[in-house]
């Protein structure tokens, strides 16, 4: 029977945890922790989407331009969108919490010999994190990441790992740890402001799989990001003014708030009939959940978040230091600072380790069909090392030294798209305005996404009507990443002729990132929301 050896290997691989008490697999435990974090994350995104939908509906009914707009509403209602957004939290905070909980539980079991005093010590960080994310108000979902997920991972670790690790187990763990450190050290040599951009250009946008990953990022990451942003980081915020008897003072405050994207609700003209009833209901909802309420006193302003007073300040200081006041207000209301910090740290450290664990597990499983599991595990780990270091080659080549101005024309005509990108990056990095020269239309239609992206970026500092026309064309590029950079450059050029085209693009695009860049471009061009009093 030709398949008998293969079947034997499959059986051996799936049962070797039982056959040898010193063997265990990290991947299944990690996967369970990630799934738990994914469920929590999906619920968090779904709740955030529902709240955001109410906010933008109120703003749209009040006559404001909203981002996201009505075309995004179906996505905000969709469970599928929440499930996609949950991936972000699973691979960031989920990865960090899962790995930390596993190491703590394994340490307590194998080295600490299940001592109760050590268990209390190991539990203190989780208690502190849970308390920290609830200091400024109850935060259900962040609390679940620091309670439910680590408890589940710890229970699985205590159940499916041996009481003692023999010499071979320590060697295997040491090997994996060493390889992860080697990969981290290798990649740290390329750390810098341009590393992630180069990874995107050279690794992701150079192949269909990477393009799919990049598209997924641009399509779905704003939904989870919205779930834990501070007020200062959100694009549109709601506000309400109360107790102002002087219309001139009220208008000044409204204008200052609008300049920082705080849009007033409940200040519209009186309506009648069904419209009045709808507006009244909207106003009641706004009072219940408005981001900022400004109440006038005796030459003072009381700033509240919802129904909670936050700070009191003079009218003069508010008008003179609006940016500082609103940032301070946001910081005092920010319930997710600690959670954001933990999430970003987990994304930076936990995600790469989880990626290594998952790839090593899959490769080991495949190789064990042909060689002994022990040898397969080692071979898989070495293959991960080779793969990780191999990906450094295009990244290093994309972060070479500066390109002199005399080389740019030749590089723009190069048959290699990497050379064209390098030239366009050099143009984008120049501080002074310059004429682009010939070949702009050819680059606008270039089949390679990074070329069109960097063309759009470089045109921010390029003089002439041809650059304006090219940016309007790139603004409608089917790749959101290109359209976003075209909108960014249109805002930087300060040419107000683009306002109507950008407004049209925002109203007809169903992509949140494109709308987001478009709105920022409008603000850069001096466009402002209309204030209704």
């Amino acid at each position: 029977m030709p398949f008998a050896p293969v079947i034997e290997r499959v059986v051996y691989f799936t049962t070797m945890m039982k056959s040898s008490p010193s063997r265990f697999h990290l991947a299944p435990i990690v996967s369970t922790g990630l799934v738990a974090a994914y469920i929590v994350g999906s619920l968090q995104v779904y709740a955030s989407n529902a709240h955001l939908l109410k906010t933008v509906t109120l703003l749209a009914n009040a006559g404001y331009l909203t981002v996201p707009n009505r075309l995004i509403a179906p996505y905000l209602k969709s469970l599928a969108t929440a499930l996609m957004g949950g991936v972000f939290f699973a691979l960031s905070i989920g990865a960090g919490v899962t790995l930390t909980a596993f190491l703590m539980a394994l340490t307590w079991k194998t080295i600490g010999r299940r001592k109760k005093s050590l268990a209390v010590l190991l539990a203190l960080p989780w208690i502190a994190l849970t308390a920290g994310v609830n200091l400024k108000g109850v935060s259900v979902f962040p609390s679940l990441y620091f309670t439910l997920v680590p408890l589940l991972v710890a229970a699985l670790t205590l159940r499916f790992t041996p009481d003692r690790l023999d010499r071979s187990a320590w060697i295997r763990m040491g090997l994996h740890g060493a390889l992860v450190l080697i990969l981290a050290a290798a990649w740290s040599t390329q750390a810098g402001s341009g590393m992630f951009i180069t990874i995107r250009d050279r690794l992701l946008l150079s192949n269909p799989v990477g393009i799919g990953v990049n598209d997924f990022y641009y399509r779905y990451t704003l939904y989870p990001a919205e779930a834990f942003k501070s007020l200062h980081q959100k694009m549109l915020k709601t506000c309400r003014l109360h107790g102002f008897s002087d219309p001139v003072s009220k208008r000044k405050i409204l204008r200052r708030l609008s300049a920082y994207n705080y849009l007033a609700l409940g200040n519209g003209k009186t309506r009648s009939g069904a419209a009045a009833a709808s507006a009244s209901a909207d106003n009641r909802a706004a009072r219940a959940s408005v981001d900022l309420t400004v109440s006038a006193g005796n030459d003072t302003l009381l700033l509240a978040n919802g129904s909670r007073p936050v700070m009191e300040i003079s009218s003069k200081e508010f008008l003179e230091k609006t940016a500082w006041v609103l940032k301070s207000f946001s910081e005092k209301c920010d319930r997710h600072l600690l959670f954001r910090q933990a999430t970003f740290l987990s994304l930076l450290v936990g995600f790469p380790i989880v990626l290594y664990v998952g790839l090593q597990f899959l490769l080991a499983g495949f190789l064990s069909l042909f060689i002994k599991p022990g040898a397969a595990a080692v071979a898989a780990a070495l293959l991960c090392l080779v793969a990780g270091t191999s990906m450094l080659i295009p990244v290093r080549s994309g972060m070479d030294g500066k390109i002199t101005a005399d080389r740019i024309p030749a590089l723009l005509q190069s048959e290699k798209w990497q050379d064209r990108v390098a030239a366009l990056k050099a143009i984008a990095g120049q501080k002074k305005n310059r004429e682009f020269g010939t070949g702009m239309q050819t680059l606008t239609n270039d089949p390679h996404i990074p070329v069109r992206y960097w063309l759009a970026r470089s045109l921010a500092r390029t003089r002439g009507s041809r650059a304006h026309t090219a940016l309007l064309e790139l603004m409608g590029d089917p790749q959101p990443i290109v359209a976003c950079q075209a909108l960014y450059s249109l805002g930087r050029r300060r040419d107000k002729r683009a306002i109507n085209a950008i407004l049209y693009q925002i109203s007809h695009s169903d992509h949140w990132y494109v709308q987001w860049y478009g709105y920022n471009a409008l603000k850069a061009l001096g466009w402002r929301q209309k204030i209704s009093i």
Side-chain angles (χ1 to χ4, degrees), residues 71-248:
L71 297 179
I72 305 296
Y75 297 102
L76 292 173
K77 299 175 184 177
S78 171
L79 177 61
T81 302
L83 294 175
M84 295 298 183
V87 173
F88 170 80
F89 286 117
L91 296 180
S92 55
I93 189 67
V97 168
T98 297
L99 291 172
T100 304
F102 168 79
L103 290 174
M104 283 185 169
L106 186 65
T107 300
W108 181 64
K109 184 179 183 181
T110 59
I111 299 178
R113 298 292 190 268
R114 297 177 181 261
K115 292 181 179 178
K116 292 183 179 181
S117 57
L118 181 59
V120 173
L121 184 63
L122 293 175
L124 286 178
W126 302 110
I127 296 172
L129 285 170
T130 304
V133 297
N134 288 279
L135 282 178
K136 295 182 179 180
V138 177
S139 298
V140 175
F141 295 110
S143 299
L144 290 175
Y145 292 112
F146 298 128
T147 53
L148 176 64
V149 177
L151 285 173
L152 177 60
V153 172
L156 291 174
T157 303
L158 296 176
R159 173 66 179 83
F160 293 108
T161 56
D163 292 328
R164 285 190 175 186
L165 297 179
D166 59 19
R167 186 169 178 270
S168 63
W170 283 111
I171 291 175
R172 288 196 303 273
M173 292 182 62
L175 172 65
H176 293 311
L179 293 182
V180 168
L181 289 176
I182 291 172
L183 286 170
W187 278 91
S188 66
T189 61
Q190 305 305 307
S193 59
M195 183 182 76
F196 293 107
I197 294 175
T198 305
I199 290 174
R200 181 202 62 203
D201 292 348
R202 295 295 183 116
L203 293 182
L204 295 181
L205 297 181
S206 61
N207 61 87
V209 175
I211 291 174
V213 172
N214 186 75
D215 289 345
F216 182 91
Y217 172 87
Y218 270 82
R219 174 65 71 176
Y220 293 109
T221 51
L222 282 180
Y223 298 94
E226 188 72 17
F228 69 148
K229 282 182 177 179
S230 67
L231 276 178
H232 185 69
Q233 295 169 325
K234 290 179 182 290
M235 171 152 283
L236 299 180
K237 287 82 70 171
T238 57
C239 68
R240 186 173 67 90
L241 273 61
H242 175 72
F244 284 81
S245 57
D246 181 8
V248 176

Side-chain angles (χ1 to χ4, degrees), residues 54-55 58-59 238-240 263-266 279-293 306-307:
K54 291 180 181 179
T55 299
L58 287 169
L59 291 172
T238 57
C239 68
R240 186 173 67 90
L263 305 181
L265 294 172
S280 177
D282 287 348
N283 290 339
R284 287 195 298 271
R287 286 192 293 271
S289 60
V290 71
D291 296 314
L292 168 63
T293 299
S307 58

